[in-house]
Amino acid sequence: MSSLLYSLSQAANIYPASELFLRHRLQIVEELWESVLRQECGQKMVDLLGQLRDLCSPEGQATHDQASSAVKLIEQLNINEAIRAARAFALYFQLINIIEQEYEQRQQLTRYSEAEAEIEDSEVLPNISYSSNQRENDAPVTRAIGADLLAKSWVAKEKDKQKGTFAALFPHLFKLNVPPQQIQRLIAQLDVRLVFTAHPTEIVRHTIRDKQRQVVNLLQQLDTVENRSGNTVGGYPWEAAELQEKLLEEIRLWWRTDELHQFKPTVLDEVDYALHYFQEVLFDGIPQLHKRFKYALSKTFPWLEPPQKNFCSFGSWVGSDRDGNPSVTPEITWQTACYQRKMVLERYIQSVKQLIELLSVSMHWSDVLPDLLESLELDQSQLSEIYDALALRYRQEPYRLKLSYVLKRLENTRDRNLTLYKRETPKNEDKPMYRSGSDFLAELRLIQRNLTETGLSCRELDNLIAQVEIFGFNLTQLDIRQESSRHSDTLNEILEYLQVLPQSYNELSEAQRVAWLTGELQTRRPLIPAELPFSEKTNDVIETFRIVRSLQQEFGVHICQTYIISMCREVSDVLEVLLLAKEARLFDPAIAVGTIQVVPLFETVEDLLRSRSVMRELFELPLYRALLAGGYQQVEDKEEKAKATSSSHATCPLTLNLQEVMLGYSDSNKDSGFLSSNWEIHKAQKSLQHIAEEYGVNLRIFHGRGGSVGRGGGPAYEAILAQPGHSINGRIKITEQGEVLASKYSLLDLALYNLETITTAVIQASLLKTGFDDIEPWNEIMEELAARSRTHYRSLIYEQPDFIDFFHQVTPIEEISQLQISSRPARRPSGKKDLSSLRAIPWVFSWTQTRFLLPSWYGVGTALQEFLQAEPEEHLKLLQYFYVKWPFFKMVISKAEMTLAKVDMQMASHYVQELSNPEDKPRFDRVFEQIASEYYRTKDLVLKITGHNRLLDGDPVLQRSVQLRNGTIVPLGFIQVSLLKRLRQSRNTAPSGVIHSRYSKGELLRGALLTINGIAAGMRNTG
């Protein structure tokens, strides 16, 4: 029997012939899926799903006739049948995602190997003399041994098959004659930081993720068996059959597992979810990234030094971001830091135990240097119990004895950490332990040095050293984030209690606030009493700064150095944080040295425009410039600056003369639309970089990107290349949010490739500046397009009187808010049902569910059309030229094209027709017509600019992925509408007609939430 949702005839239209491996995998999984449904639900359900799937057009879009037939079919279902159908489609999407993700990983392996092979075979470097100390036995980090030949042939035909790899980057730089000195300077300051966040877009339960991982493992085993069967070594036919049986069992267990979260996750649950990716993939995988870099660099520029091993590092907001989340308390942040340290210590303990087994070197057959013997004598005096227990066993094996001492210190450190996690007073503080990762690292390097000087090496030890250099004892750096008004309200209450000012602080003008704050920051006099007689909110802000001080004292200053101010609008917003930091002894005003960096987050378009004046005014303040420079002494005595830099960890732990600024994509998009948001952020980066250069300050832009295009998401490689070149300079910081974590970091090779492409793009954007961003006529045209787009966007979102009612009725926004997927509320504290209080994530999430995807394209078409009206032919040629030559413009159009391909305006119309109250339909129809007209206008113009006949013709892989899902999302959308309709009518009035009234609201809500899960999986995107 042919697969229900996938047939070879369909595949012939979707896939190139060379993608046989992918087609084969899809067939296997879909047949297993169908078999599970037959066993669990019966043939009747299988036939029903077939009927629903057949109602879709070949392009995977709904039509009016098909919608009518689907509604009749679905309305006849009872709640249990509807839920089973929704779950079946959701399971299908999850399985398809797994297959595509595994295939993407195979592609990356093949791509990486072929890129290396081409470099080795080419004569690109005929005149280069290699240094004598280059290791000849360095091997590539990753080889696609046994990769599917068909997959390789497909990859080989790709236009940019090496794009984003180190193996392609450095020969490219060589061919372009980029001076090696410039490359070396950039490598020396290379700083790529990925910050994991707990935003509520990870809709899949942790338990389901485990099931998915097991399916991936079984599929990889199946690959091995099938590859072996195709070789002369041979394989047993029963092995493949047995693995398919295991897959069937696993998918059946998955089917019987609840997809919905059983309870609202706590913040520590979210911490555990985030650490899961380090535990399973990143902790062991990240050292390979440096090896890839080093190897590729040595092939082209063997005389250049590779970067520090921690050139790519990680931050986290999970457990420390308190913006709008009252569940993130100072105590939770403390426990998060302890929890992270617990994970790395346990991993280090495992590694040291393995090294004890491995390093069996005997003094009979190998020399031992005096420094190791001296350290053993010191260890014996401090850990006599270890010596008494193991000295005889390891009397001729010094490395094993040394590592046994190391192990005991790690275990003591772990035990003390557990005590601190419980907030108990540590006992036996005099026990030998490691106070920091650097102490542990010093011991490992001692062992490594002794091995090296006696002619030995140990890859496992080298790998452990790399892990300690990258992760230390902290795993990630915790960023604190809080909304600006919380700080002003805190100071307002403190000052009213102390009666310091003649009027309320909140009533002061901005100039008065800055004057008072600047004066207060000059004194060491404490402002806040030790005992806190204030409100709970004020005490929470004060205690947050105090916990940062405690964290730095216990874990080292690098555990938590960044304090982000969301909704930052004025200079006073920054100075308020600095004043509160001073009160917690994180900033010393007498010498202007601090251990915390204040990072303004500019989000709305108005704030982005104001960011220039805010940063300029801050840089004009002597106190603030001194803080960035490392203190007044560094400003006054430039001759001592080099000395201070070399010992900066002793005097100023912050990176000297570095200002971090965060730019928010979510709120700017919600505020002004997709095109305007991207342009304003682009302009802000250029302006901020010019201002920073003017004041001799280095700038690091922190990009607050979400998973969806409407919140700054999309391919990171193209997005980084589209940034103004001067704004990167080897430094970038990016948030990784929600479902993005699972898509990028669930599999090792995908994670490594993602990080490699980001790093490659940072280097390219820094060294190969196009100059197109500085062409003033082009900027003027973009300014005009952005303004027109913003006007049209806001005329719908903020000026159309029926829009808010439309949004709440035709999208599942209220039901989404009831998903137990985040510890943070969907709305800001005001709780009003308006757009200002609604967070950007559920805003985008709702439009994605209904197939509008409105935040990612609305306003673009009108802006383009109005520009073309003046000179249709000439202006179209100009826009086409922009698309080819200007990375920023191409990125914007490509993102819009990707989103438009996922839009189904017929399905969106079904939501409007079925979920609108009868009395509201006339006015809602007008809103829908406005939206639909803009969609078709935008689609038409994007196709003209790109020169494509169909959306995504330039990216057939993505086009295939979208088409594969679109068709099956349609019946799931019909089911969602039916359940939402029943649920809402059960809430409001006694239902009648075909609406089934015998089901409880709880059952109906559960069914609706399951459809939300399924559509999110099908779209591979939530918010």
mmCIF file of all heavy atoms in Angstrom, residues 110-147:
data_model
loop_
_atom_site.group_PDB
_atom_site.id
_atom_site.type_symbol
_atom_site.label_atom_id
_atom_site.label_comp_id
_atom_site.label_asym_id
_atom_site.label_seq_id
_atom_site.Cartn_x
_atom_site.Cartn_y
_atom_site.Cartn_z
ATOM 1 N N THR A 110 28.725 16.023 4.180
ATOM 2 C CA THR A 110 29.202 15.872 2.808
ATOM 3 C C THR A 110 29.811 17.178 2.307
ATOM 4 O O THR A 110 30.890 17.195 1.694
ATOM 5 C CB THR A 110 28.038 15.443 1.894
ATOM 6 O OG1 THR A 110 27.468 14.247 2.407
ATOM 7 C CG2 THR A 110 28.517 15.221 0.477
ATOM 8 N N ARG A 111 29.106 18.263 2.572
ATOM 9 C CA ARG A 111 29.579 19.572 2.121
ATOM 10 C C ARG A 111 30.934 19.888 2.718
ATOM 11 O O ARG A 111 31.841 20.364 2.033
ATOM 12 C CB ARG A 111 28.552 20.635 2.514
ATOM 13 C CG ARG A 111 28.941 22.042 2.147
ATOM 14 C CD ARG A 111 27.858 23.015 2.561
ATOM 15 N NE ARG A 111 26.599 22.724 1.879
ATOM 16 C CZ ARG A 111 25.467 23.383 2.102
ATOM 17 N NH1 ARG A 111 25.444 24.366 2.980
ATOM 18 N NH2 ARG A 111 24.375 23.084 1.455
ATOM 19 N N TYR A 112 31.099 19.610 3.997
ATOM 20 C CA TYR A 112 32.357 19.930 4.671
ATOM 21 C C TYR A 112 33.509 19.109 4.089
ATOM 22 O O TYR A 112 34.587 19.620 3.813
ATOM 23 C CB TYR A 112 32.212 19.654 6.163
ATOM 24 C CG TYR A 112 33.336 20.229 6.988
ATOM 25 C CD1 TYR A 112 33.350 21.577 7.309
ATOM 26 C CD2 TYR A 112 34.385 19.441 7.427
ATOM 27 C CE1 TYR A 112 34.376 22.131 8.052
ATOM 28 C CE2 TYR A 112 35.415 19.978 8.171
ATOM 29 C CZ TYR A 112 35.411 21.316 8.483
ATOM 30 O OH TYR A 112 36.430 21.854 9.211
ATOM 31 N N SER A 113 33.263 17.821 3.856
ATOM 32 C CA SER A 113 34.312 16.950 3.320
ATOM 33 C C SER A 113 34.683 17.345 1.900
ATOM 34 O O SER A 113 35.859 17.359 1.538
ATOM 35 C CB SER A 113 33.839 15.499 3.362
ATOM 36 O OG SER A 113 33.695 15.067 4.683
ATOM 37 N N GLU A 114 33.685 17.669 1.092
ATOM 38 C CA GLU A 114 33.977 18.032 -0.287
ATOM 39 C C GLU A 114 34.729 19.351 -0.371
ATOM 40 O O GLU A 114 35.612 19.522 -1.217
ATOM 41 C CB GLU A 114 32.682 18.113 -1.096
ATOM 42 C CG GLU A 114 32.052 16.745 -1.336
ATOM 43 C CD GLU A 114 30.854 16.811 -2.252
ATOM 44 O OE1 GLU A 114 30.371 17.932 -2.507
ATOM 45 O OE2 GLU A 114 30.415 15.755 -2.722
ATOM 46 N N ALA A 115 34.385 20.273 0.515
ATOM 47 C CA ALA A 115 35.101 21.546 0.534
ATOM 48 C C ALA A 115 36.563 21.324 0.853
ATOM 49 O O ALA A 115 37.461 21.902 0.227
ATOM 50 C CB ALA A 115 34.460 22.492 1.548
ATOM 51 N N GLU A 116 36.835 20.445 1.832
ATOM 52 C CA GLU A 116 38.215 20.150 2.196
ATOM 53 C C GLU A 116 38.943 19.446 1.053
ATOM 54 O O GLU A 116 40.098 19.728 0.745
ATOM 55 C CB GLU A 116 38.245 19.273 3.442
ATOM 56 C CG GLU A 116 37.882 20.026 4.709
ATOM 57 C CD GLU A 116 37.962 19.130 5.922
ATOM 58 O OE1 GLU A 116 37.838 17.909 5.770
ATOM 59 O OE2 GLU A 116 38.147 19.668 7.019
ATOM 60 N N ALA A 117 38.230 18.495 0.423
ATOM 61 C CA ALA A 117 38.856 17.740 -0.659
ATOM 62 C C ALA A 117 39.235 18.649 -1.815
ATOM 63 O O ALA A 117 40.307 18.502 -2.409
ATOM 64 C CB ALA A 117 37.908 16.641 -1.129
ATOM 65 N N GLU A 118 38.378 19.603 -2.147
ATOM 66 C CA GLU A 118 38.674 20.516 -3.248
ATOM 67 C C GLU A 118 39.892 21.366 -2.935
ATOM 68 O O GLU A 118 40.716 21.643 -3.794
ATOM 69 C CB GLU A 118 37.466 21.413 -3.527
ATOM 70 C CG GLU A 118 36.337 20.687 -4.236
ATOM 71 C CD GLU A 118 35.252 21.634 -4.702
ATOM 72 O OE1 GLU A 118 35.528 22.849 -4.758
ATOM 73 O OE2 GLU A 118 34.154 21.164 -5.003
ATOM 74 N N ILE A 119 40.006 21.768 -1.669
ATOM 75 C CA ILE A 119 41.155 22.596 -1.287
ATOM 76 C C ILE A 119 42.441 21.786 -1.382
ATOM 77 O O ILE A 119 43.468 22.240 -1.870
ATOM 78 C CB ILE A 119 40.968 23.146 0.137
ATOM 79 C CG1 ILE A 119 39.822 24.160 0.127
ATOM 80 C CG2 ILE A 119 42.237 23.788 0.648
ATOM 81 C CD1 ILE A 119 39.387 24.577 1.491
ATOM 82 N N GLU A 120 42.379 20.514 -0.927
ATOM 83 C CA GLU A 120 43.571 19.681 -0.969
ATOM 84 C C GLU A 120 43.995 19.378 -2.401
ATOM 85 O O GLU A 120 45.172 19.248 -2.708
ATOM 86 C CB GLU A 120 43.303 18.378 -0.211
ATOM 87 C CG GLU A 120 43.172 18.584 1.294
ATOM 88 C CD GLU A 120 42.897 17.279 2.023
ATOM 89 O OE1 GLU A 120 42.830 16.234 1.359
ATOM 90 O OE2 GLU A 120 42.774 17.322 3.255
ATOM 91 N N ASP A 121 43.014 19.250 -3.308
ATOM 92 C CA ASP A 121 43.323 18.886 -4.682
ATOM 93 C C ASP A 121 43.724 20.082 -5.546
ATOM 94 O O ASP A 121 44.287 19.925 -6.618
ATOM 95 C CB ASP A 121 42.114 18.204 -5.334
ATOM 96 C CG ASP A 121 41.820 16.861 -4.678
ATOM 97 O OD1 ASP A 121 42.729 16.331 -4.020
ATOM 98 O OD2 ASP A 121 40.672 16.368 -4.819
ATOM 99 N N SER A 122 43.377 21.289 -5.086
ATOM 100 C CA SER A 122 43.591 22.466 -5.925
ATOM 101 C C SER A 122 45.037 22.949 -5.848
ATOM 102 O O SER A 122 45.809 22.561 -4.980
ATOM 103 C CB SER A 122 42.658 23.591 -5.493
ATOM 104 O OG SER A 122 43.023 24.052 -4.213
ATOM 105 N N GLU A 123 45.393 23.803 -6.795
ATOM 106 C CA GLU A 123 46.718 24.412 -6.810
ATOM 107 C C GLU A 123 46.610 25.876 -6.412
ATOM 108 O O GLU A 123 47.321 26.729 -6.932
ATOM 109 C CB GLU A 123 47.324 24.293 -8.218
ATOM 110 C CG GLU A 123 47.501 22.875 -8.696
ATOM 111 C CD GLU A 123 48.519 22.125 -7.880
ATOM 112 O OE1 GLU A 123 49.479 22.768 -7.410
ATOM 113 O OE2 GLU A 123 48.348 20.908 -7.701
ATOM 114 N N VAL A 124 45.760 26.162 -5.446
ATOM 115 C CA VAL A 124 45.454 27.546 -5.135
ATOM 116 C C VAL A 124 46.620 28.268 -4.463
ATOM 117 O O VAL A 124 46.742 29.463 -4.525
ATOM 118 C CB VAL A 124 44.192 27.620 -4.256
ATOM 119 C CG1 VAL A 124 44.435 27.013 -2.896
ATOM 120 C CG2 VAL A 124 43.712 29.053 -4.104
ATOM 121 N N LEU A 125 47.521 27.511 -3.833
ATOM 122 C CA LEU A 125 48.586 28.168 -3.075
ATOM 123 C C LEU A 125 49.963 27.712 -3.555
ATOM 124 O O LEU A 125 50.744 27.143 -2.803
ATOM 125 C CB LEU A 125 48.436 27.831 -1.573
ATOM 126 C CG LEU A 125 47.059 28.114 -0.971
ATOM 127 C CD1 LEU A 125 47.030 27.644 0.474
ATOM 128 C CD2 LEU A 125 46.750 29.588 -1.037
ATOM 129 N N PRO A 126 50.322 27.960 -4.802
ATOM 130 C CA PRO A 126 51.574 27.411 -5.330
ATOM 131 C C PRO A 126 52.822 28.032 -4.732
ATOM 132 O O PRO A 126 53.867 27.405 -4.710
ATOM 133 C CB PRO A 126 51.486 27.711 -6.834
ATOM 134 C CG PRO A 126 50.576 28.910 -6.918
ATOM 135 C CD PRO A 126 49.605 28.761 -5.794
ATOM 136 N N ASN A 127 52.772 29.270 -4.269
ATOM 137 C CA ASN A 127 53.979 29.976 -3.843
ATOM 138 C C ASN A 127 54.099 30.130 -2.340
ATOM 139 O O ASN A 127 54.940 30.873 -1.858
ATOM 140 C CB ASN A 127 54.014 31.373 -4.486
ATOM 141 C CG ASN A 127 54.030 31.278 -5.999
ATOM 142 O OD1 ASN A 127 54.724 30.432 -6.553
ATOM 143 N ND2 ASN A 127 53.252 32.136 -6.659
ATOM 144 N N ILE A 128 53.271 29.422 -1.597
ATOM 145 C CA ILE A 128 53.298 29.588 -0.150
ATOM 146 C C ILE A 128 54.327 28.641 0.456
ATOM 147 O O ILE A 128 54.373 27.463 0.132
ATOM 148 C CB ILE A 128 51.917 29.298 0.465
ATOM 149 C CG1 ILE A 128 50.939 30.381 0.022
ATOM 150 C CG2 ILE A 128 51.978 29.228 1.970
ATOM 151 C CD1 ILE A 128 49.558 30.206 0.575
ATOM 152 N N SER A 129 55.168 29.186 1.324
ATOM 153 C CA SER A 129 56.115 28.342 2.056
ATOM 154 C C SER A 129 55.566 28.094 3.449
ATOM 155 O O SER A 129 55.243 29.028 4.163
ATOM 156 C CB SER A 129 57.478 29.035 2.140
ATOM 157 O OG SER A 129 57.341 30.273 2.794
ATOM 158 N N TYR A 130 55.430 26.842 3.802
ATOM 159 C CA TYR A 130 54.837 26.478 5.082
ATOM 160 C C TYR A 130 55.902 26.466 6.163
ATOM 161 O O TYR A 130 57.054 26.100 5.946
ATOM 162 C CB TYR A 130 54.170 25.103 4.985
ATOM 163 C CG TYR A 130 52.940 25.122 4.133
ATOM 164 C CD1 TYR A 130 53.028 24.977 2.754
ATOM 165 C CD2 TYR A 130 51.695 25.319 4.701
ATOM 166 C CE1 TYR A 130 51.902 25.022 1.962
ATOM 167 C CE2 TYR A 130 50.551 25.357 3.915
ATOM 168 C CZ TYR A 130 50.667 25.211 2.545
ATOM 169 O OH TYR A 130 49.536 25.253 1.772
ATOM 170 N N SER A 131 55.481 26.827 7.362
ATOM 171 C CA SER A 131 56.417 26.876 8.482
ATOM 172 C C SER A 131 56.834 25.460 8.862
ATOM 173 O O SER A 131 56.084 24.502 8.701
ATOM 174 C CB SER A 131 55.754 27.561 9.678
ATOM 175 O OG SER A 131 54.595 26.874 10.072
ATOM 176 N N SER A 132 58.025 25.337 9.395
ATOM 177 C CA SER A 132 58.573 24.025 9.699
ATOM 178 C C SER A 132 57.883 23.330 10.848
ATOM 179 O O SER A 132 57.980 22.118 10.976
ATOM 180 C CB SER A 132 60.074 24.160 10.030
ATOM 181 O OG SER A 132 60.221 25.028 11.145
ATOM 182 N N ASN A 133 57.206 24.105 11.696
ATOM 183 C CA ASN A 133 56.585 23.482 12.861
ATOM 184 C C ASN A 133 55.137 23.044 12.601
ATOM 185 O O ASN A 133 54.431 22.663 13.518
ATOM 186 C CB ASN A 133 56.624 24.421 14.072
ATOM 187 C CG ASN A 133 55.845 25.698 13.812
ATOM 188 O OD1 ASN A 133 55.377 25.922 12.710
ATOM 189 N ND2 ASN A 133 55.746 26.533 14.842
ATOM 190 N N GLN A 134 54.715 23.106 11.344
ATOM 191 C CA GLN A 134 53.350 22.669 11.038
ATOM 192 C C GLN A 134 53.259 21.156 11.178
ATOM 193 O O GLN A 134 54.089 20.418 10.681
ATOM 194 C CB GLN A 134 52.961 23.078 9.622
ATOM 195 C CG GLN A 134 51.524 22.703 9.278
ATOM 196 C CD GLN A 134 51.190 23.023 7.851
ATOM 197 O OE1 GLN A 134 52.041 23.474 7.113
ATOM 198 N NE2 GLN A 134 49.964 22.763 7.456
ATOM 199 N N ARG A 135 52.222 20.707 11.866
ATOM 200 C CA ARG A 135 52.040 19.274 12.079
ATOM 201 C C ARG A 135 51.495 18.636 10.811
ATOM 202 O O ARG A 135 50.446 18.996 10.314
ATOM 203 C CB ARG A 135 51.087 19.023 13.252
ATOM 204 C CG ARG A 135 51.662 19.447 14.591
ATOM 205 C CD ARG A 135 50.653 19.269 15.695
ATOM 206 N NE ARG A 135 50.208 17.878 15.781
ATOM 207 C CZ ARG A 135 49.311 17.454 16.664
ATOM 208 N NH1 ARG A 135 48.772 18.284 17.500
ATOM 209 N NH2 ARG A 135 48.965 16.179 16.690
ATOM 210 N N GLU A 136 52.222 17.636 10.286
ATOM 211 C CA GLU A 136 51.803 17.007 9.042
ATOM 212 C C GLU A 136 50.687 15.991 9.250
ATOM 213 O O GLU A 136 50.001 15.618 8.304
ATOM 214 C CB GLU A 136 53.008 16.324 8.386
ATOM 215 C CG GLU A 136 54.082 17.310 7.975
ATOM 216 C CD GLU A 136 55.251 16.609 7.314
ATOM 217 O OE1 GLU A 136 55.251 15.367 7.275
ATOM 218 O OE2 GLU A 136 56.140 17.314 6.842
ATOM 219 N N ASN A 137 50.531 15.532 10.472
ATOM 220 C CA ASN A 137 49.528 14.495 10.701
ATOM 221 C C ASN A 137 48.208 15.049 11.184
ATOM 222 O O ASN A 137 47.356 14.304 11.667
ATOM 223 C CB ASN A 137 50.050 13.478 11.727
ATOM 224 C CG ASN A 137 50.306 14.117 13.080
ATOM 225 O OD1 ASN A 137 50.379 15.335 13.157
ATOM 226 N ND2 ASN A 137 50.471 13.299 14.106
ATOM 227 N N ASP A 138 48.028 16.376 11.102
ATOM 228 C CA ASP A 138 46.724 16.946 11.452
ATOM 229 C C ASP A 138 45.680 16.428 10.474
ATOM 230 O O ASP A 138 45.815 16.575 9.267
ATOM 231 C CB ASP A 138 46.755 18.477 11.387
ATOM 232 C CG ASP A 138 47.340 19.056 12.660
ATOM 233 O OD1 ASP A 138 47.493 18.313 13.644
ATOM 234 O OD2 ASP A 138 47.636 20.250 12.643
ATOM 235 N N ALA A 139 44.630 15.857 10.990
ATOM 236 C CA ALA A 139 43.571 15.306 10.137
ATOM 237 C C ALA A 139 42.352 16.188 10.188
ATOM 238 O O ALA A 139 42.130 16.896 11.157
ATOM 239 C CB ALA A 139 43.216 13.890 10.608
ATOM 240 N N PRO A 140 41.548 16.157 9.132
ATOM 241 C CA PRO A 140 40.281 16.903 9.184
ATOM 242 C C PRO A 140 39.452 16.455 10.367
ATOM 243 O O PRO A 140 39.457 15.276 10.725
ATOM 244 C CB PRO A 140 39.602 16.550 7.862
ATOM 245 C CG PRO A 140 40.705 16.094 6.963
ATOM 246 C CD PRO A 140 41.731 15.462 7.863
ATOM 247 N N VAL A 141 38.745 17.388 10.935
ATOM 248 C CA VAL A 141 37.930 17.066 12.105
ATOM 249 C C VAL A 141 36.764 16.173 11.738
ATOM 250 O O VAL A 141 36.397 15.275 12.459
ATOM 251 C CB VAL A 141 37.412 18.372 12.744
ATOM 252 C CG1 VAL A 141 36.511 18.059 13.914
ATOM 253 C CG2 VAL A 141 38.573 19.221 13.182
ATOM 254 N N THR A 142 36.144 16.428 10.597
ATOM 255 C CA THR A 142 34.950 15.678 10.216
ATOM 256 C C THR A 142 35.067 15.211 8.774
ATOM 257 O O THR A 142 35.388 15.985 7.896
ATOM 258 C CB THR A 142 33.697 16.556 10.360
ATOM 259 O OG1 THR A 142 33.659 17.088 11.666
ATOM 260 C CG2 THR A 142 32.438 15.745 10.107
ATOM 261 N N ARG A 143 34.814 13.947 8.536
ATOM 262 C CA ARG A 143 34.798 13.388 7.187
ATOM 263 C C ARG A 143 33.476 12.660 6.979
ATOM 264 O O ARG A 143 33.003 11.966 7.873
ATOM 265 C CB ARG A 143 35.933 12.371 7.032
ATOM 266 C CG ARG A 143 37.301 13.036 6.975
ATOM 267 C CD ARG A 143 37.688 13.338 5.563
ATOM 268 N NE ARG A 143 39.048 13.823 5.462
ATOM 269 C CZ ARG A 143 39.454 14.551 4.437
ATOM 270 N NH1 ARG A 143 38.635 14.889 3.493
ATOM 271 N NH2 ARG A 143 40.705 14.948 4.373
ATOM 272 N N ALA A 144 32.897 12.781 5.811
ATOM 273 C CA ALA A 144 31.626 12.106 5.536
ATOM 274 C C ALA A 144 31.900 10.728 4.973
ATOM 275 O O ALA A 144 31.579 10.395 3.847
ATOM 276 C CB ALA A 144 30.802 12.916 4.569
ATOM 277 N N ILE A 145 32.557 9.875 5.782
ATOM 278 C CA ILE A 145 32.886 8.527 5.335
ATOM 279 C C ILE A 145 31.597 7.757 5.117
ATOM 280 O O ILE A 145 30.736 7.680 5.987
ATOM 281 C CB ILE A 145 33.769 7.823 6.388
ATOM 282 C CG1 ILE A 145 35.073 8.626 6.550
ATOM 283 C CG2 ILE A 145 34.052 6.394 5.999
ATOM 284 C CD1 ILE A 145 35.938 8.145 7.661
ATOM 285 N N GLY A 146 31.480 7.141 3.962
ATOM 286 C CA GLY A 146 30.289 6.352 3.695
ATOM 287 C C GLY A 146 29.053 7.179 3.410
ATOM 288 O O GLY A 146 27.942 6.671 3.469
ATOM 289 N N ALA A 147 29.232 8.454 3.121
ATOM 290 C CA ALA A 147 28.050 9.285 2.845
ATOM 291 C C ALA A 147 27.366 8.797 1.591
ATOM 292 O O ALA A 147 27.989 8.274 0.669
ATOM 293 C CB ALA A 147 28.464 10.744 2.688
#
